[in-house]
PDB file of all heavy atoms in Angstrom:
ATOM      1  N   MET A   1     -31.396 -28.048  -3.934  1.00 77.00           N
ATOM      2  CA  MET A   1     -30.522 -27.314  -4.825  1.00 77.00           C
ATOM      3  C   MET A   1     -29.079 -27.609  -4.456  1.00 77.00           C
ATOM      4  O   MET A   1     -28.716 -27.628  -3.297  1.00 77.00           O
ATOM      5  CB  MET A   1     -30.794 -25.818  -4.708  1.00 77.00           C
ATOM      6  CG  MET A   1     -29.923 -25.005  -5.620  1.00 77.00           C
ATOM      7  SD  MET A   1     -30.387 -23.260  -5.579  1.00 77.00           S
ATOM      8  CE  MET A   1     -28.887 -22.585  -4.952  1.00 77.00           C
ATOM      9  N   THR A   2     -28.255 -27.820  -5.446  1.00 84.00           N
ATOM     10  CA  THR A   2     -26.835 -28.056  -5.247  1.00 84.00           C
ATOM     11  C   THR A   2     -26.075 -26.758  -5.432  1.00 84.00           C
ATOM     12  O   THR A   2     -26.320 -26.017  -6.379  1.00 84.00           O
ATOM     13  CB  THR A   2     -26.314 -29.077  -6.274  1.00 84.00           C
ATOM     14  OG1 THR A   2     -27.055 -30.278  -6.117  1.00 84.00           O
ATOM     15  CG2 THR A   2     -24.854 -29.343  -6.095  1.00 84.00           C
ATOM     16  N   ARG A   4     -22.502 -25.159  -6.230  1.00 86.00           N
ATOM     17  CA  ARG A   4     -21.186 -25.443  -6.788  1.00 86.00           C
ATOM     18  C   ARG A   4     -20.306 -24.225  -6.564  1.00 86.00           C
ATOM     19  O   ARG A   4     -20.641 -23.126  -6.993  1.00 86.00           O
ATOM     20  CB  ARG A   4     -21.316 -25.764  -8.266  1.00 86.00           C
ATOM     21  CG  ARG A   4     -22.203 -27.009  -8.480  1.00 86.00           C
ATOM     22  CD  ARG A   4     -22.406 -27.305  -9.904  1.00 86.00           C
ATOM     23  NE  ARG A   4     -21.109 -27.736 -10.444  1.00 86.00           N
ATOM     24  CZ  ARG A   4     -20.928 -28.123 -11.685  1.00 86.00           C
ATOM     25  NH1 ARG A   4     -21.931 -28.122 -12.525  1.00 86.00           N
ATOM     26  NH2 ARG A   4     -19.743 -28.498 -12.110  1.00 86.00           N
ATOM     27  N   VAL A   5     -19.195 -24.437  -5.874  1.00 88.00           N
ATOM     28  CA  VAL A   5     -18.319 -23.342  -5.465  1.00 88.00           C
ATOM     29  C   VAL A   5     -16.975 -23.456  -6.168  1.00 88.00           C
ATOM     30  O   VAL A   5     -16.447 -24.554  -6.341  1.00 88.00           O
ATOM     31  CB  VAL A   5     -18.106 -23.368  -3.934  1.00 88.00           C
ATOM     32  CG1 VAL A   5     -17.157 -22.271  -3.490  1.00 88.00           C
ATOM     33  CG2 VAL A   5     -19.442 -23.250  -3.214  1.00 88.00           C
ATOM     34  N   VAL A   8     -11.170 -18.671  -7.139  1.00 86.00           N
ATOM     35  CA  VAL A   8     -10.358 -18.169  -8.242  1.00 86.00           C
ATOM     36  C   VAL A   8      -9.170 -17.409  -7.671  1.00 86.00           C
ATOM     37  O   VAL A   8      -9.338 -16.511  -6.855  1.00 86.00           O
ATOM     38  CB  VAL A   8     -11.190 -17.237  -9.163  1.00 86.00           C
ATOM     39  CG1 VAL A   8     -10.316 -16.576 -10.197  1.00 86.00           C
ATOM     40  CG2 VAL A   8     -12.322 -18.013  -9.802  1.00 86.00           C
ATOM     41  N   THR A  10      -5.933 -15.187  -9.002  1.00 87.00           N
ATOM     42  CA  THR A  10      -5.292 -14.551 -10.147  1.00 87.00           C
ATOM     43  C   THR A  10      -3.994 -13.906  -9.681  1.00 87.00           C
ATOM     44  O   THR A  10      -3.711 -13.855  -8.491  1.00 87.00           O
ATOM     45  CB  THR A  10      -6.206 -13.479 -10.766  1.00 87.00           C
ATOM     46  OG1 THR A  10      -6.483 -12.486  -9.771  1.00 87.00           O
ATOM     47  CG2 THR A  10      -7.502 -14.073 -11.278  1.00 87.00           C
ATOM     48  N   PRO A  12      -2.815 -10.419 -10.023  1.00 92.00           N
ATOM     49  CA  PRO A  12      -3.072  -9.067 -10.510  1.00 92.00           C
ATOM     50  C   PRO A  12      -1.787  -8.256 -10.665  1.00 92.00           C
ATOM     51  O   PRO A  12      -0.853  -8.397  -9.882  1.00 92.00           O
ATOM     52  CB  PRO A  12      -3.974  -8.459  -9.429  1.00 92.00           C
ATOM     53  CG  PRO A  12      -3.716  -9.267  -8.207  1.00 92.00           C
ATOM     54  CD  PRO A  12      -3.340 -10.631  -8.670  1.00 92.00           C
ATOM     55  N   PHE A  14      -0.183  -4.674 -10.405  1.00 94.00           N
ATOM     56  CA  PHE A  14      -0.509  -3.485  -9.637  1.00 94.00           C
ATOM     57  C   PHE A  14      -0.919  -2.320 -10.534  1.00 94.00           C
ATOM     58  O   PHE A  14      -0.218  -1.964 -11.476  1.00 94.00           O
ATOM     59  CB  PHE A  14       0.669  -3.056  -8.762  1.00 94.00           C
ATOM     60  CG  PHE A  14       0.332  -1.899  -7.877  1.00 94.00           C
ATOM     61  CD1 PHE A  14      -0.456  -2.087  -6.753  1.00 94.00           C
ATOM     62  CD2 PHE A  14       0.741  -0.626  -8.194  1.00 94.00           C
ATOM     63  CE1 PHE A  14      -0.802  -1.022  -5.946  1.00 94.00           C
ATOM     64  CE2 PHE A  14       0.405   0.441  -7.397  1.00 94.00           C
ATOM     65  CZ  PHE A  14      -0.367   0.243  -6.270  1.00 94.00           C
ATOM     66  N   ASN A  20      -6.640  -6.511 -15.122  1.00 91.00           N
ATOM     67  CA  ASN A  20      -6.902  -7.445 -14.023  1.00 91.00           C
ATOM     68  C   ASN A  20      -8.341  -7.945 -14.032  1.00 91.00           C
ATOM     69  O   ASN A  20      -8.587  -9.133 -13.829  1.00 91.00           O
ATOM     70  CB  ASN A  20      -6.566  -6.797 -12.674  1.00 91.00           C
ATOM     71  CG  ASN A  20      -5.089  -6.516 -12.525  1.00 91.00           C
ATOM     72  OD1 ASN A  20      -4.245  -7.190 -13.120  1.00 91.00           O
ATOM     73  ND2 ASN A  20      -4.756  -5.517 -11.729  1.00 91.00           N
ATOM     74  N   ILE A  21      -9.299  -7.049 -14.271  1.00 89.00           N
ATOM     75  CA  ILE A  21     -10.701  -7.483 -14.287  1.00 89.00           C
ATOM     76  C   ILE A  21     -10.952  -8.379 -15.498  1.00 89.00           C
ATOM     77  O   ILE A  21     -11.666  -9.377 -15.397  1.00 89.00           O
ATOM     78  CB  ILE A  21     -11.700  -6.295 -14.230  1.00 89.00           C
ATOM     79  CG1 ILE A  21     -13.111  -6.781 -13.907  1.00 89.00           C
ATOM     80  CG2 ILE A  21     -11.740  -5.505 -15.503  1.00 89.00           C
ATOM     81  CD1 ILE A  21     -13.346  -7.166 -12.506  1.00 89.00           C
ATOM     82  N   GLU A  22     -10.338  -8.064 -16.632  1.00 89.00           N
ATOM     83  CA  GLU A  22     -10.502  -8.926 -17.812  1.00 89.00           C
ATOM     84  C   GLU A  22      -9.930 -10.318 -17.550  1.00 89.00           C
ATOM     85  O   GLU A  22     -10.543 -11.322 -17.912  1.00 89.00           O
ATOM     86  CB  GLU A  22      -9.830  -8.283 -19.024  1.00 89.00           C
ATOM     87  CG  GLU A  22     -10.595  -7.087 -19.556  1.00 89.00           C
ATOM     88  CD  GLU A  22      -9.852  -6.322 -20.636  1.00 89.00           C
ATOM     89  OE1 GLU A  22      -8.783  -6.779 -21.092  1.00 89.00           O
ATOM     90  OE2 GLU A  22     -10.342  -5.246 -21.017  1.00 89.00           O
ATOM     91  N   THR A  24      -9.570 -11.778 -14.649  1.00 87.00           N
ATOM     92  CA  THR A  24     -10.450 -12.420 -13.662  1.00 87.00           C
ATOM     93  C   THR A  24     -11.695 -12.973 -14.349  1.00 87.00           C
ATOM     94  O   THR A  24     -12.097 -14.110 -14.105  1.00 87.00           O
ATOM     95  CB  THR A  24     -10.846 -11.420 -12.560  1.00 87.00           C
ATOM     96  OG1 THR A  24      -9.647 -11.002 -11.880  1.00 87.00           O
ATOM     97  CG2 THR A  24     -11.792 -12.030 -11.557  1.00 87.00           C
ATOM     98  N   LEU A  25     -12.305 -12.193 -15.243  1.00 85.00           N
ATOM     99  CA  LEU A  25     -13.503 -12.641 -15.937  1.00 85.00           C
ATOM    100  C   LEU A  25     -13.205 -13.791 -16.899  1.00 85.00           C
ATOM    101  O   LEU A  25     -14.035 -14.679 -17.073  1.00 85.00           O
ATOM    102  CB  LEU A  25     -14.166 -11.480 -16.670  1.00 85.00           C
ATOM    103  CG  LEU A  25     -14.718 -10.375 -15.763  1.00 85.00           C
ATOM    104  CD1 LEU A  25     -15.271  -9.241 -16.598  1.00 85.00           C
ATOM    105  CD2 LEU A  25     -15.736 -10.903 -14.793  1.00 85.00           C
ATOM    106  N   ARG A  32     -19.069 -21.697 -14.442  1.00 77.00           N
ATOM    107  CA  ARG A  32     -20.473 -22.091 -14.251  1.00 77.00           C
ATOM    108  C   ARG A  32     -20.736 -22.619 -12.846  1.00 77.00           C
ATOM    109  O   ARG A  32     -21.197 -23.733 -12.662  1.00 77.00           O
ATOM    110  CB  ARG A  32     -20.891 -23.108 -15.290  1.00 77.00           C
ATOM    111  CG  ARG A  32     -20.711 -22.586 -16.677  1.00 77.00           C
ATOM    112  CD  ARG A  32     -21.225 -23.525 -17.693  1.00 77.00           C
ATOM    113  NE  ARG A  32     -21.738 -22.638 -18.718  1.00 77.00           N
ATOM    114  CZ  ARG A  32     -22.548 -22.987 -19.669  1.00 77.00           C
ATOM    115  NH1 ARG A  32     -22.946 -24.192 -19.770  1.00 77.00           N
ATOM    116  NH2 ARG A  32     -22.969 -22.120 -20.537  1.00 77.00           N
ATOM    117  N   ARG A  33     -20.423 -21.815 -11.876  1.00 80.00           N
ATOM    118  CA  ARG A  33     -20.601 -22.171 -10.476  1.00 80.00           C
ATOM    119  C   ARG A  33     -21.647 -21.274  -9.846  1.00 80.00           C
ATOM    120  O   ARG A  33     -21.907 -20.170 -10.304  1.00 80.00           O
ATOM    121  CB  ARG A  33     -19.288 -22.024  -9.692  1.00 80.00           C
ATOM    122  CG  ARG A  33     -18.165 -22.919 -10.163  1.00 80.00           C
ATOM    123  CD  ARG A  33     -18.520 -24.369  -9.862  1.00 80.00           C
ATOM    124  NE  ARG A  33     -17.438 -25.271 -10.151  1.00 80.00           N
ATOM    125  CZ  ARG A  33     -17.415 -26.133 -11.147  1.00 80.00           C
ATOM    126  NH1 ARG A  33     -18.423 -26.181 -11.981  1.00 80.00           N
ATOM    127  NH2 ARG A  33     -16.408 -26.952 -11.311  1.00 80.00           N
ATOM    128  N   CYS A  35     -21.350 -20.162  -6.720  1.00 85.00           N
ATOM    129  CA  CYS A  35     -20.614 -19.213  -5.891  1.00 85.00           C
ATOM    130  C   CYS A  35     -19.152 -19.212  -6.323  1.00 85.00           C
ATOM    131  O   CYS A  35     -18.522 -20.269  -6.391  1.00 85.00           O
ATOM    132  CB  CYS A  35     -20.734 -19.611  -4.420  1.00 85.00           C
ATOM    133  SG  CYS A  35     -19.767 -18.570  -3.302  1.00 85.00           S
ATOM    134  N   VAL A  37     -15.504 -17.388  -5.380  1.00 87.00           N
ATOM    135  CA  VAL A  37     -14.794 -16.584  -4.394  1.00 87.00           C
ATOM    136  C   VAL A  37     -13.565 -15.978  -5.061  1.00 87.00           C
ATOM    137  O   VAL A  37     -12.730 -16.700  -5.600  1.00 87.00           O
ATOM    138  CB  VAL A  37     -14.364 -17.444  -3.184  1.00 87.00           C
ATOM    139  CG1 VAL A  37     -13.622 -16.600  -2.166  1.00 87.00           C
ATOM    140  CG2 VAL A  37     -15.576 -18.128  -2.572  1.00 87.00           C
ATOM    141  N   LEU A  38     -13.495 -14.643  -5.035  1.00 86.00           N
ATOM    142  CA  LEU A  38     -12.356 -13.926  -5.609  1.00 86.00           C
ATOM    143  C   LEU A  38     -11.475 -13.394  -4.488  1.00 86.00           C
ATOM    144  O   LEU A  38     -11.975 -13.066  -3.409  1.00 86.00           O
ATOM    145  CB  LEU A  38     -12.846 -12.754  -6.459  1.00 86.00           C
ATOM    146  CG  LEU A  38     -13.733 -13.093  -7.643  1.00 86.00           C
ATOM    147  CD1 LEU A  38     -14.293 -11.810  -8.260  1.00 86.00           C
ATOM    148  CD2 LEU A  38     -12.960 -13.882  -8.671  1.00 86.00           C
ATOM    149  N   GLU A  40      -9.208 -10.689  -2.372  1.00 88.00           N
ATOM    150  CA  GLU A  40      -9.262  -9.244  -2.172  1.00 88.00           C
ATOM    151  C   GLU A  40      -8.256  -8.576  -3.104  1.00 88.00           C
ATOM    152  O   GLU A  40      -7.250  -9.169  -3.467  1.00 88.00           O
ATOM    153  CB  GLU A  40      -8.980  -8.876  -0.708  1.00 88.00           C
ATOM    154  CG  GLU A  40      -7.520  -9.013  -0.289  1.00 88.00           C
ATOM    155  CD  GLU A  40      -7.073 -10.444  -0.006  1.00 88.00           C
ATOM    156  OE1 GLU A  40      -7.879 -11.385  -0.129  1.00 88.00           O
ATOM    157  OE2 GLU A  40      -5.899 -10.618   0.330  1.00 88.00           O
ATOM    158  N   PHE A  48       0.554  -1.214  -1.938  1.00 93.00           N
ATOM    159  CA  PHE A  48       0.415   0.238  -2.009  1.00 93.00           C
ATOM    160  C   PHE A  48       1.576   0.889  -1.269  1.00 93.00           C
ATOM    161  O   PHE A  48       1.992   0.419  -0.215  1.00 93.00           O
ATOM    162  CB  PHE A  48      -0.911   0.682  -1.374  1.00 93.00           C
ATOM    163  CG  PHE A  48      -2.114   0.045  -2.016  1.00 93.00           C
ATOM    164  CD1 PHE A  48      -2.809  -0.951  -1.362  1.00 93.00           C
ATOM    165  CD2 PHE A  48      -2.533   0.442  -3.261  1.00 93.00           C
ATOM    166  CE1 PHE A  48      -3.919  -1.544  -1.940  1.00 93.00           C
ATOM    167  CE2 PHE A  48      -3.641  -0.142  -3.863  1.00 93.00           C
ATOM    168  CZ  PHE A  48      -4.333  -1.131  -3.192  1.00 93.00           C
ATOM    169  N   THR A  49       2.082   1.984  -1.808  1.00 94.00           N
ATOM    170  CA  THR A  49       3.199   2.668  -1.154  1.00 94.00           C
ATOM    171  C   THR A  49       2.740   3.592  -0.034  1.00 94.00           C
ATOM    172  O   THR A  49       3.496   3.861   0.886  1.00 94.00           O
ATOM    173  CB  THR A  49       4.024   3.488  -2.174  1.00 94.00           C
ATOM    174  OG1 THR A  49       3.157   4.414  -2.825  1.00 94.00           O
ATOM    175  CG2 THR A  49       4.673   2.576  -3.192  1.00 94.00           C
ATOM    176  N   ASP A  50       1.507   4.080  -0.135  1.00 95.00           N
ATOM    177  CA  ASP A  50       0.987   4.962   0.912  1.00 95.00           C
ATOM    178  C   ASP A  50      -0.541   5.047   0.802  1.00 95.00           C
ATOM    179  O   ASP A  50      -1.151   4.485  -0.117  1.00 95.00           O
ATOM    180  CB  ASP A  50       1.623   6.352   0.848  1.00 95.00           C
ATOM    181  CG  ASP A  50       1.455   7.049  -0.494  1.00 95.00           C
ATOM    182  OD1 ASP A  50       0.445   6.799  -1.194  1.00 95.00           O
ATOM    183  OD2 ASP A  50       2.329   7.843  -0.853  1.00 95.00           O
ATOM    184  N   LEU A  57      -6.863   4.099  -6.068  1.00 90.00           N
ATOM    185  CA  LEU A  57      -7.360   2.886  -6.721  1.00 90.00           C
ATOM    186  C   LEU A  57      -8.639   2.340  -6.082  1.00 90.00           C
ATOM    187  O   LEU A  57      -9.237   1.403  -6.600  1.00 90.00           O
ATOM    188  CB  LEU A  57      -6.269   1.809  -6.699  1.00 90.00           C
ATOM    189  CG  LEU A  57      -5.046   2.113  -7.556  1.00 90.00           C
ATOM    190  CD1 LEU A  57      -3.920   1.136  -7.252  1.00 90.00           C
ATOM    191  CD2 LEU A  57      -5.404   2.073  -9.029  1.00 90.00           C
ATOM    192  N   ALA A  61     -19.225   0.986  -3.862  1.00 86.00           N
ATOM    193  CA  ALA A  61     -20.104  -0.055  -4.416  1.00 86.00           C
ATOM    194  C   ALA A  61     -20.659   0.311  -5.788  1.00 86.00           C
ATOM    195  O   ALA A  61     -21.210  -0.547  -6.477  1.00 86.00           O
ATOM    196  CB  ALA A  61     -21.240  -0.340  -3.450  1.00 86.00           C
ATOM    197  N   ARG A  67     -19.408  -2.832 -10.562  1.00 88.00           N
ATOM    198  CA  ARG A  67     -20.523  -2.935 -11.519  1.00 88.00           C
ATOM    199  C   ARG A  67     -20.286  -4.065 -12.523  1.00 88.00           C
ATOM    200  O   ARG A  67     -21.222  -4.783 -12.877  1.00 88.00           O
ATOM    201  CB  ARG A  67     -20.736  -1.606 -12.237  1.00 88.00           C
ATOM    202  CG  ARG A  67     -21.421  -0.556 -11.383  1.00 88.00           C
ATOM    203  CD  ARG A  67     -21.929   0.621 -12.195  1.00 88.00           C
ATOM    204  NE  ARG A  67     -21.020   1.080 -13.232  1.00 88.00           N
ATOM    205  CZ  ARG A  67     -20.182   2.105 -13.120  1.00 88.00           C
ATOM    206  NH1 ARG A  67     -20.124   2.784 -11.996  1.00 88.00           N
ATOM    207  NH2 ARG A  67     -19.407   2.452 -14.141  1.00 88.00           N
ATOM    208  N   VAL A  69     -18.544  -6.858 -12.051  1.00 82.00           N
ATOM    209  CA  VAL A  69     -18.764  -8.138 -11.359  1.00 82.00           C
ATOM    210  C   VAL A  69     -20.258  -8.356 -11.115  1.00 82.00           C
ATOM    211  O   VAL A  69     -20.787  -9.431 -11.367  1.00 82.00           O
ATOM    212  CB  VAL A  69     -17.965  -8.200 -10.047  1.00 82.00           C
ATOM    213  CG1 VAL A  69     -18.347  -9.404  -9.218  1.00 82.00           C
ATOM    214  CG2 VAL A  69     -16.466  -8.215 -10.336  1.00 82.00           C
ATOM    215  N   SER A  71     -22.710  -7.258 -12.798  1.00 82.00           N
ATOM    216  CA  SER A  71     -23.448  -7.455 -14.044  1.00 82.00           C
ATOM    217  C   SER A  71     -23.457  -8.915 -14.497  1.00 82.00           C
ATOM    218  O   SER A  71     -24.356  -9.308 -15.246  1.00 82.00           O
ATOM    219  CB  SER A  71     -22.866  -6.576 -15.149  1.00 82.00           C
ATOM    220  OG  SER A  71     -21.623  -7.069 -15.590  1.00 82.00           O
ATOM    221  N   CYS A  73     -23.354 -11.477 -12.264  1.00 76.00           N
ATOM    222  CA  CYS A  73     -23.939 -12.303 -11.189  1.00 76.00           C
ATOM    223  C   CYS A  73     -25.430 -12.455 -11.449  1.00 76.00           C
ATOM    224  O   CYS A  73     -26.105 -11.523 -11.854  1.00 76.00           O
ATOM    225  CB  CYS A  73     -23.742 -11.637  -9.836  1.00 76.00           C
ATOM    226  SG  CYS A  73     -22.031 -11.519  -9.332  1.00 76.00           S
TER     227      CYS A  73
END
Side-chain angles (χ1 to χ4, degrees):
M1 181 174 118
T2 301
R4 299 177 68 178
V5 178
V8 173
T10 60
F14 185 75
N20 294 333
I21 194 75
E22 287 172 7
T24 298
L25 295 176
R32 302 185 146 196
R33 298 292 186 251
C35 176
V37 180
L38 300 172
E40 74 282 0
F48 302 106
T49 57
D50 57 30
L57 293 169
R67 284 194 318 262
V69 171
S71 73
C73 294

